[in-house]
Amino acid sequence: MKTDNHTFAGLPFLGAESKLSVIFSKNRLTRRYEMNRLPIRVGNRYIFIRLEDVDAFEVEGNYLRIYTGDSSHLLRGTLSAIEEQLDGDRFLRINRSTIINLEKLKELKILKYSNYEAVLFSGKSWLWGRKFRENLKRVVQLGEQIG
């Protein structure tokens, strides 16, 4: 898996306006409904990751690891800051340290003791936290309504 470390240069550090909030802000430059890509600085250039290509966001210390297919990108920020800005119909928090893209969810495995494992099409998997079972119910109910 290819891994890149990134920073948001030129944007204010976390506080009242986090770097992620600035990117997703509803100001005259970037309106939320227009936001479908994350600009990430890599050395002396920016790359743009389409949100539809993001498999998951995972906490790594004071950073967020963004998984996109066979690569990942490391950003400084918090999971709660990005969770506020993401589309709740597409992205869902499954435990204290992970948000997944529901469109990339391949299956839910039922494990012992009523535990669940979310498996993505990329093969990456995470345990579904007990505190986030309401989110699990939303996913399963959606499937039952469609089926």
Side-chain angles (χ1 to χ4, degrees), residues 52-70:
E52 63 200 42
D53 293 337
V54 172
D55 293 340
F57 297 90
E58 183 178 35
V59 172
E60 279 190 24
N62 292 330
Y63 294 86
L64 287 175
R65 172 126 355 242
I66 300 175
Y67 292 97
T68 57
D70 63 348

Side-chain angles (χ1 to χ4, degrees), residues 6 35 55 59 65 71 89 103 105 116 119 130:
H6 309 297
M35 188 61 206
D55 293 340
V59 172
R65 172 126 355 242
S71 65
D89 292 332
E103 294 174 4
L105 182 62
Y116 294 84
V119 181
R130 290 183 187 270

Side-chain angles (χ1 to χ4, degrees), residues 99-144:
I99 294 174
I100 62 169
N101 182 343
L102 291 174
E103 294 174 4
K104 307 288 182 160
L105 182 62
K106 179 180 179 183
E107 64 181 328
L108 285 172
K109 289 184 180 178
I110 302 171
L111 307 175
K112 290 182 180 179
Y113 311 112
S114 299
N115 290 318
Y116 294 84
E117 180 181 24
V119 181
L120 306 185
F121 287 106
S122 66
K124 197 82 173 117
S125 64
W126 292 272
L127 289 178
W128 204 295
R130 290 183 187 270
K131 287 175 62 176
F132 298 90
R133 288 294 162 88
E134 286 301 315
N135 292 344
L136 174 66
K137 290 176 185 175
R138 266 185 40 205
V139 172
V140 173
Q141 287 173 352
L142 176 64
E144 290 173 353

Side-chain angles (χ1 to χ4, degrees), residues 10 24 74 132:
F24 286 102
L74 195 59
F132 298 90

